[in-house]
Amino acid sequence: MDASDELLHRDDPSALLTMGGAIHSLNAAMATALGRPAEQCLGRDFGDLCPASQRMSAGILVATAARTETVAMRVLEFPGPGGASVACLLQAQPVKDPSTDEHLVWVHALDARNDLASLLIPFRLATEACDLGLWMYSPGEQQMEWLSGLPALVALYPDPTAPLSRVISAVHADDREDFRQLLRSAPAQPLWVRLRYLTPHDGWHHLAVQTRRIQLGYGGPERIFGLIRDDTKQEERKKKAQAALTAERQRAKEVADFSSALITAATEQELRQVVLTRLAATFAARGALLALVDDGRLNVSSDAGISMREAQARQGMPLDHPSALPEAIRTGKQLFITGREDYIRRWPHGVGYPRLGRLGSDYTVSVTPLSETGDPPLGAWMVFYGSGHRPSLEERTLMDTLADLAGQALRRIRLQQTRVELATALQQTMLPMLPEHLPGLEVAAGYRPSRDGLDIGGDWYDAFVMPDGAIALEIGDVQGHDVDAAAFMGQVRLSIRAIAAQEPDPAAVLTRTNKLLTTMDPTRFASCTMLQVDPHDGRVTGTSAGHVPVLCAHRDGSHEVRELPGGPVLGVVPGTEYREGTFTLGEDSALVMVTDGVVEGPGLTLEAGLERAGTLAAQAVHEGLSVEETADRILDAAVAVDHLDDVAVLVIRRT
């Protein structure tokens, strides 16, 4: 056996390398450590055959021995049996092959069983460099040993060694099985597992633990090593951030709901409700007060956080009053009052206000106008904060934005209210007063405007005496719900009445009316039913321009639907010749003429609506109700259910 064979004839891994690090020869143990048959290792670079995480250390070890011709040592890890790594102390030293005088590097594993602690030094240094903690578990002894780490982590374990049972007892009950599983399996691909750990002095800690199984030297004992990271502060920051995020999301939702409610408010009362139920809560304030300008004076309302005395002190206040609220409205600028002294200094008369006497010197009030200077003054709101609160710039900007939305909503509401009043006045002007006496007939009418969108439309009715003594009755509905619809309704009704003074037949009246409207090229159309009743014999002649049928209710409680001949709606098809039909109205019966809002709706078909109105009319006639009471009963039912359109009804009965 030559010298080189003697160096390789060992139980532990051993290899001879060239000065450049290539494998010259090796024993079976080294081939096993490198994970390849010996013949595949020859001529290969030793460092390249080591595990990826060890290549740099292996290269440095060999280079140190080759260049300095000294003995070098380093702890390296190699794959071991059963998935565990083997930590071994490798020594590299220069040698000379006596047979060839070739200079070689001898790399071999040393027996460190008498000094296992030396194998742990690299792990301890790496752990401390990463700000982690390191412990070692001996399965046979059921013993945990703390090895190294930051002082804060060392404090988690007062004793350097402790039985496993004591450590597990400090782990949260819900996490103990996860911890035991870590000790049993120690996976080849380590994962961080979160555990809650109770310390003697500062309570629960949130730890992240990762384990590995390592054999200490070839033929040495197997241990489980654990890395520890203390995430307690990180978890606290995470919880605080999550709480802040949740609060911010809730605040954003409240602001969005506030904005949406302002945009959809349809009346001033709704606007007051939106502001006074949400404003103080949105800005974590004690109370809020809303002042709207009516005829140059303040109309004040407040929430439960403001006393009645405080609100009443400002009720009816003129805009030129020298105090904070009128000043903000006049100037269109936000005001902030930082305390009682600040208020009295800027508005000396304010010492008499009841709230100032009860609050501390450091309370804060913000006053935000609903419109900027130059616009017609609309009002403002006051928000009263708790002692010491100072609104941030973000809060003040948000407050100003919401106040601007409230101002826009108030302008829209008042504009629409003006339109409603104009349309209502126009509608009432257009609708006729029924004659107090129509020979041989009792006639009553009823009308209820739609309030959907704060507009009203063009339903109408009329009754008048014809030149030949017959009674003309009409009811109709103009397309649309606005002032234009009401105006067009007036044109149609007056046209029909003017033409009826010259034409004796309802069909001829609608034919000429349609001819007139189509020559005007209108942007709207109208449906209409016109009847002519002879009060002496009850003969009824009628026609329809695309309108709903007429109802006939009898004293015995029955009713029927009468479809009249006619043609399309008025104002659409030029040259239409309308047709008419006749029937007789008995003395024990009543005619009911309605617009489509009475008998149609989102949840009501025309057939069902006619049946409902006919039944109500028949019951009223059977009970002997007057024509006025009959009309009211039908209208009340229409308003109670599916009332999205204007509704009009005309009830006729022979006397």
Side-chain angles (χ1 to χ4, degrees), residues 265-276 290-294 299 301 378 409-415 417 454:
T267 65
E268 288 193 23
Q269 177 58 32
E270 288 185 14
L271 183 68
R272 289 190 188 93
Q273 290 174 209
V274 169
V275 171
L276 296 178
L290 176 66
L292 301 182
V293 177
D294 290 325
N299 185 4
S301 50
L378 299 174
L410 184 58
R411 289 190 196 92
R412 169 179 50 78
I413 289 169
R414 289 183 171 177
L415 176 61
Q417 185 60 39
L454 293 181

Coordinates of all heavy atoms in Angstrom, one line a residue, residues 265-276 290-294 299 301 378 409-415 417 454:
A265 N -81.0 63.0 -1.6 CA -82.0 63.7 -0.8 C -82.9 64.4 -1.8 O -82.5 65.2 -2.7 CB -81.3 64.7 0.1
A266 N -84.2 64.3 -1.6 CA -85.2 64.8 -2.5 C -85.9 66.1 -1.9 O -86.6 66.8 -2.6 CB -86.3 63.8 -2.8
T267 N -85.8 66.3 -0.6 CA -86.5 67.4 0.0 C -85.5 68.0 1.1 O -84.6 67.4 1.5 CB -87.8 67.0 0.8 OG1 -87.5 66.1 1.8 CG2 -88.8 66.3 -0.2
E268 N -85.9 69.3 1.5 CA -85.0 69.9 2.5 C -85.1 69.1 3.8 O -84.1 69.0 4.5 CB -85.5 71.3 2.7 CG -85.1 72.3 1.6 CD -85.3 73.7 1.9 OE1 -85.2 74.1 3.2 OE2 -85.4 74.6 1.0
Q269 N -86.2 68.5 4.1 CA -86.3 67.7 5.3 C -85.4 66.5 5.3 O -84.7 66.2 6.2 CB -87.8 67.3 5.5 CG -88.0 66.3 6.7 CD -87.6 67.0 8.0 OE1 -87.6 68.2 8.2 NE2 -87.1 66.2 9.0
E270 N -85.4 65.9 4.1 CA -84.5 64.7 3.9 C -83.0 65.2 4.1 O -82.2 64.5 4.6 CB -84.7 64.0 2.6 CG -86.0 63.3 2.5 CD -86.1 62.5 1.2 OE1 -85.1 62.4 0.5 OE2 -87.2 62.1 0.9
L271 N -82.7 66.3 3.5 CA -81.3 66.9 3.6 C -81.0 67.1 5.1 O -79.8 66.8 5.5 CB -81.2 68.2 2.8 CG -79.8 68.8 2.8 CD1 -78.9 67.9 2.0 CD2 -79.9 70.2 2.2
R272 N -81.9 67.7 5.9 CA -81.6 67.9 7.3 C -81.3 66.6 8.0 O -80.4 66.5 8.8 CB -82.8 68.6 8.0 CG -82.9 70.1 7.6 CD -84.0 70.8 8.5 NE -84.3 72.1 8.0 CZ -85.3 72.4 7.2 NH1 -86.1 71.4 6.7 NH2 -85.5 73.6 6.8
Q273 N -82.2 65.6 7.7 CA -82.0 64.3 8.3 C -80.6 63.7 8.0 O -80.0 63.2 8.9 CB -83.1 63.3 7.9 CG -84.5 63.7 8.4 CD -85.6 62.8 7.8 OE1 -86.7 63.2 7.6 NE2 -85.2 61.6 7.4
V274 N -80.2 63.8 6.7 CA -78.9 63.2 6.3 C -77.8 63.9 7.1 O -76.9 63.2 7.7 CB -78.7 63.4 4.8 CG1 -77.3 63.1 4.4 CG2 -79.7 62.5 4.0
V275 N -77.8 65.2 7.2 CA -76.7 66.0 7.8 C -76.7 65.7 9.3 O -75.7 65.4 9.9 CB -76.9 67.5 7.5 CG1 -75.9 68.3 8.3 CG2 -76.7 67.7 6.0
L276 N -77.8 65.8 9.9 CA -77.9 65.8 11.4 C -77.7 64.3 12.0 O -77.4 64.2 13.1 CB -79.1 66.4 11.9 CG -79.2 67.9 11.6 CD1 -80.5 68.5 12.1 CD2 -78.1 68.7 12.2
L290 N -77.2 72.6 11.9 CA -77.4 73.0 10.5 C -78.3 74.2 10.4 O -79.4 74.3 11.0 CB -78.1 71.8 9.7 CG -78.4 72.1 8.2 CD1 -77.1 72.3 7.4 CD2 -79.2 71.0 7.6
A291 N -77.8 75.2 9.7 CA -78.5 76.5 9.5 C -78.7 76.7 8.0 O -77.8 76.8 7.2 CB -77.8 77.7 10.1
L292 N -80.0 76.8 7.6 CA -80.3 77.1 6.2 C -80.9 78.5 6.1 O -81.6 79.0 7.0 CB -81.3 76.1 5.6 CG -80.9 74.6 5.7 CD1 -82.0 73.7 5.0 CD2 -79.6 74.4 4.9
V293 N -80.6 79.2 5.0 CA -81.0 80.6 4.9 C -82.4 80.6 4.2 O -82.6 80.1 3.1 CB -80.0 81.4 4.0 CG1 -80.5 82.8 3.8 CG2 -78.6 81.4 4.7
D294 N -83.3 81.2 4.9 CA -84.7 81.5 4.4 C -85.0 82.9 4.5 O -85.1 83.4 5.7 CB -85.7 80.6 5.1 CG -85.6 79.1 4.8 OD1 -85.2 78.8 3.7 OD2 -85.8 78.3 5.7
N299 N -82.6 79.4 9.5 CA -83.5 78.4 10.0 C -82.7 77.3 10.5 O -82.1 76.6 9.8 CB -84.5 77.9 8.9 CG -85.5 77.0 9.3 OD1 -85.7 76.7 10.5 ND2 -86.3 76.4 8.4
S301 N -81.6 73.9 12.8 CA -81.9 72.6 13.4 C -80.7 71.9 13.9 O -79.6 72.2 13.5 CB -82.7 71.7 12.4 OG -81.9 71.6 11.2
L378 N -76.6 79.9 1.1 CA -77.6 78.7 1.3 C -77.6 78.4 2.8 O -78.7 78.0 3.3 CB -77.1 77.5 0.5 CG -77.1 77.7 -1.0 CD1 -76.5 76.4 -1.6 CD2 -78.5 77.9 -1.5
A409 N -76.9 69.8 -3.4 CA -78.2 69.1 -3.2 C -79.3 70.1 -2.8 O -80.4 70.0 -3.3 CB -78.0 68.0 -2.0
L410 N -78.9 71.1 -2.0 CA -79.9 72.0 -1.6 C -80.4 72.9 -2.8 O -81.6 73.2 -2.9 CB -79.4 72.9 -0.5 CG -80.4 73.9 0.1 CD1 -81.6 73.3 0.7 CD2 -79.7 74.8 1.2
R411 N -79.4 73.3 -3.6 CA -79.8 74.0 -4.8 C -80.7 73.2 -5.7 O -81.7 73.7 -6.2 CB -78.5 74.4 -5.6 CG -77.7 75.5 -5.0 CD -76.6 76.0 -6.0 NE -75.5 76.7 -5.3 CZ -74.4 76.1 -4.9 NH1 -74.2 74.8 -5.0 NH2 -73.5 76.9 -4.3
R412 N -80.3 71.9 -5.9 CA -81.2 71.1 -6.7 C -82.6 70.9 -6.2 O -83.6 71.0 -6.9 CB -80.5 69.7 -6.9 CG -81.4 68.6 -7.5 CD -80.7 67.3 -7.6 NE -80.0 66.9 -6.4 CZ -80.7 66.3 -5.4 NH1 -82.0 66.1 -5.4 NH2 -80.1 65.9 -4.3
I413 N -82.6 70.7 -4.9 CA -84.0 70.5 -4.2 C -84.8 71.8 -4.4 O -86.0 71.7 -4.7 CB -83.8 70.2 -2.7 CG1 -83.2 68.8 -2.6 CG2 -85.1 70.3 -2.0 CD1 -82.7 68.4 -1.2
R414 N -84.2 72.9 -4.1 CA -85.0 74.2 -4.2 C -85.4 74.5 -5.7 O -86.5 75.0 -6.0 CB -84.2 75.3 -3.6 CG -84.1 75.2 -2.1 CD -83.4 76.4 -1.5 NE -83.5 76.3 0.0 CZ -83.0 77.1 0.9 NH1 -82.2 78.1 0.4 NH2 -83.2 77.0 2.2
L415 N -84.5 74.2 -6.6 CA -84.8 74.4 -8.0 C -86.0 73.4 -8.4 O -86.9 73.9 -9.1 CB -83.6 74.1 -8.9 CG -83.8 74.2 -10.4 CD1 -84.3 75.6 -10.8 CD2 -82.5 73.8 -11.2
Q417 N -88.1 72.1 -6.4 CA -89.3 72.6 -5.8 C -90.0 73.7 -6.5 O -91.2 73.8 -6.6 CB -89.0 72.9 -4.3 CG -90.2 73.3 -3.5 CD -91.2 72.1 -3.4 OE1 -90.7 71.0 -3.3 NE2 -92.5 72.4 -3.4
L454 N -90.1 64.6 -8.4 CA -90.6 65.9 -8.1 C -91.1 66.7 -9.3 O -91.0 67.9 -9.4 CB -89.4 66.7 -7.5 CG -89.0 66.3 -6.1 CD1 -87.9 67.2 -5.6 CD2 -90.1 66.2 -5.1

